[in-house]
Amino acid sequence: MESGAPAALSESRDPPAARQGIWEGFTRFLSRREVLPLLLLLPVLIFFIVWNLIPTLWLLGLGFYRFSLTSGRPPRFAGLYNYRTILNDAGIWFDLSRTFIFVFCAVVTETLLGVALGLLFWNSHRLPGRRIALTMLFAPMVLTPVAAGTFWRLIYDPTFGVLNYVIRSLGFPSVDFLGNGNVAFEAVLAVDVWMWTPFMVLMTLAALASVPKAELEAAEIDRLAWHQKLWLIVLHHGKFILMLGILLRTIDAFKTMDLIYDMTYGGPGSTTQLVAMTLYRRAFEAFNMGSSSALAVILLLISIAFTATFIFVLHWRERREASP
Amino acid sequence: MVALPEKRLVLPRRTLLTGAAALGATALCTPNIARAQSTHPLSGQSIHMSILGISGWLPSSLGVDMSPDFAKYVKDKYNYDVTFSFAGAPFGQLFQKAATSLATKSQEYNIIISDSQWLGALATPKWIIKLNDIIAKDPALDIEWYAPVVRAAYQVYPDGTDSLYGLPQVGDIEGIFIRKDWLEAPGEADAYKAKYGTPMPQTWEDFEKMDLDDWKKLVAFFNRPEKGYYGIAMQYSREYDGCSCPLISFIRSMGGDIWDPKTGQVEGIMDTPTNAKAMELYKSMLQWNPPGATNYFIAEVIDAFTQGKVFAAWQWVATGATMVPDALKGKVMVVPPPGFKDASGKLNRNYIIGGQPWVINAFNDDAHMQVALDFMRWWYLPETAADYLKRGGLPCDKATLSSPGFDDIYPWNRTYKYMLQRSTDFWHDPRYAEMLATQQEGWTGYMTGELKDPAQVLKYIACKQQGILYDEGTANNAPSGSCSGIRL
């Protein structure tokens, strides 16, 4: 050490052996194969636990209590009371059946239309106006459901609506699309199809983009018919993305509430009352937190069942080929 | 040094006495004002208050529109500054907005304009303050109301007790807005008489004597779809209490009811032949409504009337300023809705009361609570009530409603006063939302034709509501055995 130099200053220039050891140990720890990925995932995991897992567990627990925010009473443990009440409520079974019909019709229609439109736009890069057409096609998908519901409620209006204006111009009487129980369900379904078919178009285009060009060229050389190309090559490669799209749409359609709330409020009568609307009313009109939590858990289990079913169907062929 | 002669100030005696009197008067007043300003707990402070009310509803927003006057009042009287903001939601969503905030014990909304049905739902979890002690200590808030229903509807919970939780912000009743210019158009009166053999009603007094059959004739007469307009617009919507309010008015005016508030009994009261008849009558009015009327709530009726699509509109009179825009001024009369003849031939009117009370957030801190109470005191000053009335609001105090010229200020005022004495509320129960949802589902299902049998609908509603009230502990009796498995 130079004479006159303060001891602390000279110590700070050269880290002591202890600090060097800790730093080396830390960098060695980080460079272990499994550690860095885990650390990078940690923020997402924390987010998932705090905003997803804990609320879900809370929901699960609340379903076993009788608790209404407006009762002034604390939550009372009631075991399976809420679940029994829900499962014995004929109204909820009707709402569920109506929801399944809605989901089936919406998803099938959107898938068929979406695949057809996707195939139409496939390999159409040289088509004039393709970009504009695609932008317009995707526009309904980016609208908020409330805005879409409001537009369509006005379009459907029997007195002021443009649709009835066209109908009357053709010499037919006005149709009360949202007030007539015979057509209200279909009217709401049509809006859902209008909004979400572009999503299936998108998924179809993504699925088609995943098809290897070499196989398509080979199919051309082998002069396969269009339906053979579609079945043997396109769907074979694109089925995962397509099934993912169908799964996402199924779960989303099952949760439809905002369109109903905006357009018909579940009416006329209960013609368009879907189960998500029932859940909303139970939670945010009646403030019956116990019962609505139980219903939410039941709906979650149904969504999980959907997912499991889709995955099973998706991998069915591989399992069949793999089994002896 | 020469001594200067003393100069003496000589004032006339009168001047001296006058000055002394002025000083004495100032001395009497100034300490009181100064004492009030300095002793008020908020003296020197600046407070911001938030009011939650119904968006697009004039009486709701008037509280904030008039707040600069309140700010001046408290600055002069108590030496503190206050500013206001207004948060709103449509009727159907307002309770959710209030409840989700109050459930977290927030003072986000210091004063809430509540619908009268919500008193139980807000008071039971102690989200709003009880006003009995406050009113007892403050004569300014112990007001003589125009009709007993004002206290019962806007202040009391539980029903039939003396516990007070609200103060009326706006009174409201159902009236019928009609196109007076169509009534007075040349040839119409003669054509009406030729068709029905009776003279066409022309004056308010004529309409007061009309029953439902008379009204049916009138709206049928003006129902001209080939010309693009219809007889009447009424509310049938499933949203909030759209269909329930006018239908309950029919039920009660015909001698029926929907429950017994003392026992919580619904079965046997809701599901009666009288109520089934009321449902049929209310549905029969649809033939003179514009297409799509099964979805009509307040806004749709306003649209239909202001756009000249209907001769008459069954509507809450608090919407008066919106129902009668400048283009229709002088062309509209507001009259009582129809009476219903009883067995003796007497005309009965027992209609649903609308309107909203002020309620005060129980989680306000001391400063905001003080301002809220000062605001209430100011709100019920005679000059404030007069200003409120002039701007289109509907006060409920006897003094304002009995003042000379009240009836002539706006075309709906006379009907408002008249119907206030002939109106009652429905439940204030904490589970009103579930009760209402059940009722709305059944009744709108019948009105839209989805359900055919009114008796079956009423049985369903009665069973469900009996179950809700029994579960809550309000009803003494559980639903009867015949309710098992019932569905629409």
Side-chain angles (χ1 to χ4, degrees), chain B residues 448-464:
Chain B
T448 56
E450 189 196 350
L451 305 164
K452 308 289 182 215
D453 182 0
Q456 167 70 7
V457 169
L458 290 169
K459 181 69 182 167
Y460 171 83
I461 295 170
C463 287
K464 285 291 178 187

PDB file of all heavy atoms in Angstrom, chain B residues 448-464:
ATOM      1  N   THR B 448     -94.479 -10.072 -24.952  1.00  0.00           N
ATOM      2  CA  THR B 448     -93.921 -10.340 -26.281  1.00  0.00           C
ATOM      3  C   THR B 448     -94.547 -11.566 -26.925  1.00  0.00           C
ATOM      4  O   THR B 448     -94.221 -11.884 -28.064  1.00  0.00           O
ATOM      5  CB  THR B 448     -92.406 -10.561 -26.204  1.00  0.00           C
ATOM      6  OG1 THR B 448     -92.134 -11.632 -25.286  1.00  0.00           O
ATOM      7  CG2 THR B 448     -91.690  -9.310 -25.740  1.00  0.00           C
ATOM      8  N   GLY B 449     -95.424 -12.250 -26.201  1.00  0.00           N
ATOM      9  CA  GLY B 449     -96.080 -13.409 -26.788  1.00  0.00           C
ATOM     10  C   GLY B 449     -95.339 -14.713 -26.588  1.00  0.00           C
ATOM     11  O   GLY B 449     -95.806 -15.771 -26.990  1.00  0.00           O
ATOM     12  N   GLU B 450     -94.159 -14.636 -25.940  1.00  0.00           N
ATOM     13  CA  GLU B 450     -93.411 -15.866 -25.698  1.00  0.00           C
ATOM     14  C   GLU B 450     -94.197 -16.762 -24.730  1.00  0.00           C
ATOM     15  O   GLU B 450     -94.174 -17.979 -24.832  1.00  0.00           O
ATOM     16  CB  GLU B 450     -92.040 -15.515 -25.098  1.00  0.00           C
ATOM     17  CG  GLU B 450     -91.091 -16.692 -24.996  1.00  0.00           C
ATOM     18  CD  GLU B 450     -89.908 -16.426 -24.075  1.00  0.00           C
ATOM     19  OE1 GLU B 450     -89.723 -15.259 -23.658  1.00  0.00           O
ATOM     20  OE2 GLU B 450     -89.177 -17.372 -23.773  1.00  0.00           O
ATOM     21  N   LEU B 451     -94.873 -16.137 -23.779  1.00  0.00           N
ATOM     22  CA  LEU B 451     -95.687 -16.863 -22.812  1.00  0.00           C
ATOM     23  C   LEU B 451     -97.139 -16.494 -23.037  1.00  0.00           C
ATOM     24  O   LEU B 451     -97.453 -15.336 -23.293  1.00  0.00           O
ATOM     25  CB  LEU B 451     -95.265 -16.488 -21.382  1.00  0.00           C
ATOM     26  CG  LEU B 451     -93.779 -16.682 -21.095  1.00  0.00           C
ATOM     27  CD1 LEU B 451     -93.372 -15.943 -19.826  1.00  0.00           C
ATOM     28  CD2 LEU B 451     -93.447 -18.162 -20.962  1.00  0.00           C
ATOM     29  N   LYS B 452     -98.004 -17.516 -22.941  1.00  0.00           N
ATOM     30  CA  LYS B 452     -99.396 -17.291 -23.356  1.00  0.00           C
ATOM     31  C   LYS B 452    -100.349 -17.095 -22.187  1.00  0.00           C
ATOM     32  O   LYS B 452    -101.360 -16.409 -22.324  1.00  0.00           O
ATOM     33  CB  LYS B 452     -99.895 -18.489 -24.195  1.00  0.00           C
ATOM     34  CG  LYS B 452     -98.987 -18.853 -25.352  1.00  0.00           C
ATOM     35  CD  LYS B 452     -99.032 -17.828 -26.460  1.00  0.00           C
ATOM     36  CE  LYS B 452     -98.147 -18.275 -27.606  1.00  0.00           C
ATOM     37  NZ  LYS B 452     -97.484 -17.160 -28.279  1.00  0.00           N
ATOM     38  N   ASP B 453    -100.060 -17.734 -21.059  1.00  0.00           N
ATOM     39  CA  ASP B 453    -101.043 -17.781 -19.973  1.00  0.00           C
ATOM     40  C   ASP B 453    -100.636 -16.823 -18.854  1.00  0.00           C
ATOM     41  O   ASP B 453     -99.670 -17.083 -18.130  1.00  0.00           O
ATOM     42  CB  ASP B 453    -101.109 -19.221 -19.440  1.00  0.00           C
ATOM     43  CG  ASP B 453    -102.145 -19.389 -18.344  1.00  0.00           C
ATOM     44  OD1 ASP B 453    -102.823 -18.388 -18.000  1.00  0.00           O
ATOM     45  OD2 ASP B 453    -102.283 -20.502 -17.813  1.00  0.00           O
ATOM     46  N   PRO B 454    -101.381 -15.723 -18.655  1.00  0.00           N
ATOM     47  CA  PRO B 454    -100.977 -14.773 -17.605  1.00  0.00           C
ATOM     48  C   PRO B 454    -101.033 -15.379 -16.208  1.00  0.00           C
ATOM     49  O   PRO B 454    -100.211 -15.046 -15.358  1.00  0.00           O
ATOM     50  CB  PRO B 454    -101.991 -13.624 -17.750  1.00  0.00           C
ATOM     51  CG  PRO B 454    -103.138 -14.181 -18.516  1.00  0.00           C
ATOM     52  CD  PRO B 454    -102.595 -15.272 -19.364  1.00  0.00           C
ATOM     53  N   ALA B 455    -101.963 -16.303 -15.991  1.00  0.00           N
ATOM     54  CA  ALA B 455    -102.069 -16.919 -14.661  1.00  0.00           C
ATOM     55  C   ALA B 455    -100.814 -17.739 -14.360  1.00  0.00           C
ATOM     56  O   ALA B 455    -100.290 -17.716 -13.236  1.00  0.00           O
ATOM     57  CB  ALA B 455    -103.320 -17.793 -14.589  1.00  0.00           C
ATOM     58  N   GLN B 456    -100.327 -18.439 -15.349  1.00  0.00           N
ATOM     59  CA  GLN B 456     -99.126 -19.247 -15.178  1.00  0.00           C
ATOM     60  C   GLN B 456     -97.919 -18.353 -14.895  1.00  0.00           C
ATOM     61  O   GLN B 456     -97.079 -18.648 -14.046  1.00  0.00           O
ATOM     62  CB  GLN B 456     -98.922 -20.097 -16.442  1.00  0.00           C
ATOM     63  CG  GLN B 456     -97.573 -20.767 -16.588  1.00  0.00           C
ATOM     64  CD  GLN B 456     -97.347 -21.903 -15.597  1.00  0.00           C
ATOM     65  OE1 GLN B 456     -98.246 -22.287 -14.864  1.00  0.00           O
ATOM     66  NE2 GLN B 456     -96.143 -22.420 -15.577  1.00  0.00           N
ATOM     67  N   VAL B 457     -97.867 -17.244 -15.624  1.00  0.00           N
ATOM     68  CA  VAL B 457     -96.765 -16.294 -15.424  1.00  0.00           C
ATOM     69  C   VAL B 457     -96.789 -15.753 -14.002  1.00  0.00           C
ATOM     70  O   VAL B 457     -95.767 -15.697 -13.309  1.00  0.00           O
ATOM     71  CB  VAL B 457     -96.857 -15.135 -16.448  1.00  0.00           C
ATOM     72  CG1 VAL B 457     -95.896 -14.011 -16.109  1.00  0.00           C
ATOM     73  CG2 VAL B 457     -96.594 -15.641 -17.862  1.00  0.00           C
ATOM     74  N   LEU B 458     -97.978 -15.378 -13.557  1.00  0.00           N
ATOM     75  CA  LEU B 458     -98.097 -14.816 -12.201  1.00  0.00           C
ATOM     76  C   LEU B 458     -97.766 -15.862 -11.139  1.00  0.00           C
ATOM     77  O   LEU B 458     -97.150 -15.540 -10.116  1.00  0.00           O
ATOM     78  CB  LEU B 458     -99.516 -14.279 -11.987  1.00  0.00           C
ATOM     79  CG  LEU B 458     -99.852 -13.017 -12.781  1.00  0.00           C
ATOM     80  CD1 LEU B 458    -101.337 -12.728 -12.714  1.00  0.00           C
ATOM     81  CD2 LEU B 458     -99.075 -11.821 -12.262  1.00  0.00           C
ATOM     82  N   LYS B 459     -98.129 -17.087 -11.394  1.00  0.00           N
ATOM     83  CA  LYS B 459     -97.822 -18.155 -10.429  1.00  0.00           C
ATOM     84  C   LYS B 459     -96.303 -18.319 -10.315  1.00  0.00           C
ATOM     85  O   LYS B 459     -95.751 -18.435  -9.216  1.00  0.00           O
ATOM     86  CB  LYS B 459     -98.466 -19.472 -10.900  1.00  0.00           C
ATOM     87  CG  LYS B 459     -98.239 -20.654  -9.967  1.00  0.00           C
ATOM     88  CD  LYS B 459     -98.986 -20.504  -8.666  1.00  0.00           C
ATOM     89  CE  LYS B 459     -98.693 -21.675  -7.743  1.00  0.00           C
ATOM     90  NZ  LYS B 459     -99.159 -21.412  -6.375  1.00  0.00           N
ATOM     91  N   TYR B 460     -95.629 -18.305 -11.460  1.00  0.00           N
ATOM     92  CA  TYR B 460     -94.168 -18.417 -11.482  1.00  0.00           C
ATOM     93  C   TYR B 460     -93.532 -17.280 -10.686  1.00  0.00           C
ATOM     94  O   TYR B 460     -92.672 -17.489  -9.830  1.00  0.00           O
ATOM     95  CB  TYR B 460     -93.669 -18.411 -12.927  1.00  0.00           C
ATOM     96  CG  TYR B 460     -92.169 -18.299 -13.062  1.00  0.00           C
ATOM     97  CD1 TYR B 460     -91.351 -19.424 -12.945  1.00  0.00           C
ATOM     98  CD2 TYR B 460     -91.559 -17.080 -13.308  1.00  0.00           C
ATOM     99  CE1 TYR B 460     -89.978 -19.335 -13.059  1.00  0.00           C
ATOM    100  CE2 TYR B 460     -90.186 -16.974 -13.420  1.00  0.00           C
ATOM    101  CZ  TYR B 460     -89.409 -18.100 -13.302  1.00  0.00           C
ATOM    102  OH  TYR B 460     -88.033 -18.003 -13.420  1.00  0.00           O
ATOM    103  N   ILE B 461     -93.980 -16.055 -10.978  1.00  0.00           N
ATOM    104  CA  ILE B 461     -93.397 -14.888 -10.295  1.00  0.00           C
ATOM    105  C   ILE B 461     -93.656 -14.986  -8.794  1.00  0.00           C
ATOM    106  O   ILE B 461     -92.761 -14.760  -7.968  1.00  0.00           O
ATOM    107  CB  ILE B 461     -93.988 -13.575 -10.863  1.00  0.00           C
ATOM    108  CG1 ILE B 461     -93.588 -13.395 -12.326  1.00  0.00           C
ATOM    109  CG2 ILE B 461     -93.524 -12.383 -10.045  1.00  0.00           C
ATOM    110  CD1 ILE B 461     -94.319 -12.250 -13.019  1.00  0.00           C
ATOM    111  N   ALA B 462     -94.882 -15.335  -8.440  1.00  0.00           N
ATOM    112  CA  ALA B 462     -95.242 -15.419  -7.017  1.00  0.00           C
ATOM    113  C   ALA B 462     -94.376 -16.451  -6.296  1.00  0.00           C
ATOM    114  O   ALA B 462     -93.856 -16.194  -5.203  1.00  0.00           O
ATOM    115  CB  ALA B 462     -96.716 -15.780  -6.868  1.00  0.00           C
ATOM    116  N   CYS B 463     -94.199 -17.600  -6.918  1.00  0.00           N
ATOM    117  CA  CYS B 463     -93.396 -18.656  -6.281  1.00  0.00           C
ATOM    118  C   CYS B 463     -91.952 -18.219  -6.117  1.00  0.00           C
ATOM    119  O   CYS B 463     -91.340 -18.400  -5.049  1.00  0.00           O
ATOM    120  CB  CYS B 463     -93.456 -19.936  -7.122  1.00  0.00           C
ATOM    121  SG  CYS B 463     -95.035 -20.783  -7.019  1.00  0.00           S
ATOM    122  N   LYS B 464     -91.397 -17.657  -7.165  1.00  0.00           N
ATOM    123  CA  LYS B 464     -89.982 -17.260  -7.115  1.00  0.00           C
ATOM    124  C   LYS B 464     -89.777 -16.157  -6.070  1.00  0.00           C
ATOM    125  O   LYS B 464     -88.831 -16.189  -5.281  1.00  0.00           O
ATOM    126  CB  LYS B 464     -89.525 -16.751  -8.486  1.00  0.00           C
ATOM    127  CG  LYS B 464     -89.308 -17.856  -9.504  1.00  0.00           C
ATOM    128  CD  LYS B 464     -88.110 -18.691  -9.146  1.00  0.00           C
ATOM    129  CE  LYS B 464     -87.906 -19.818 -10.122  1.00  0.00           C
ATOM    130  NZ  LYS B 464     -86.855 -20.737  -9.695  1.00  0.00           N
TER     131      LYS B 464
END
